Amino acid sequence: MISLDKKKHIINEINDYLFIAIGLACYAIGWTVFMLPYGITLGGVTGISALIYFATGIELQVPYFIINGLLLIAALKILGFKFCAKTIYAVVALTLFLKIGQELIDVQDS
């Protein structure tokens, strides 16, 4: 039988991942609806990915995933998997949300 503390821990973890997903969905909507159509870039990996998108036409999520993948490999070696688990989830989730957002915006443009 699972103890009460274990159940609370599991519920807290599920809430963490749920709120990470909600926040990333909002972030992806902001990028695909407001930033990309008007040629606005910000800093960070997403900003670098946007610059690559504007220069080459490669979809935003491709360089975002590659750059973050390289950074995550270094982080995994230094910090370990347990510390990086939520970051890995966030990178994969945002990559998917950016892909979905760009596909929806492309459909609306045509």
Side-chain angles (χ1 to χ4, degrees):
M1 180 156 236
I2 298 175
S3 70
L4 186 59
D5 288 338
K6 187 79 167 173
K7 286 181 184 178
K8 285 182 181 179
H9 178 71
I10 291 170
I11 290 171
N12 285 339
E13 287 295 312
I14 291 170
N15 281 338
D16 285 350
Y17 283 97
L18 178 66
F19 285 115
I20 289 170
I22 291 169
L24 291 173
C26 292
Y27 185 79
I29 290 169
W31 264 101
T32 55
V33 173
F34 300 111
M35 301 298 196
L36 289 179
Y38 298 105
I40 301 169
T41 62
L42 298 173
V45 174
T46 317
I48 294 169
S49 301
L51 290 174
I52 293 170
Y53 169 75
F54 294 134
T56 64
I58 297 172
E59 291 181 334
L60 184 70
Q61 71 272 8
V62 175
Y64 173 81
F65 189 75
I66 292 169
I67 295 168
N68 269 312
L70 296 172
L71 292 172
L72 280 171
I73 290 169
L76 284 169
K77 289 186 181 254
I78 296 169
L79 302 172
F81 179 77
K82 187 175 179 181
F83 188 81
C84 296
K86 288 181 184 171
T87 305
I88 293 168
Y89 169 76
V91 167
V92 172
L94 185 57
T95 301
L96 294 174
F97 288 145
L98 288 171
K99 179 172 178 47
I100 292 167
Q102 285 185 324
E103 288 175 359
L104 291 174
I105 295 301
D106 288 342
V107 169
Q108 290 177 358
D109 288 342
S110 44

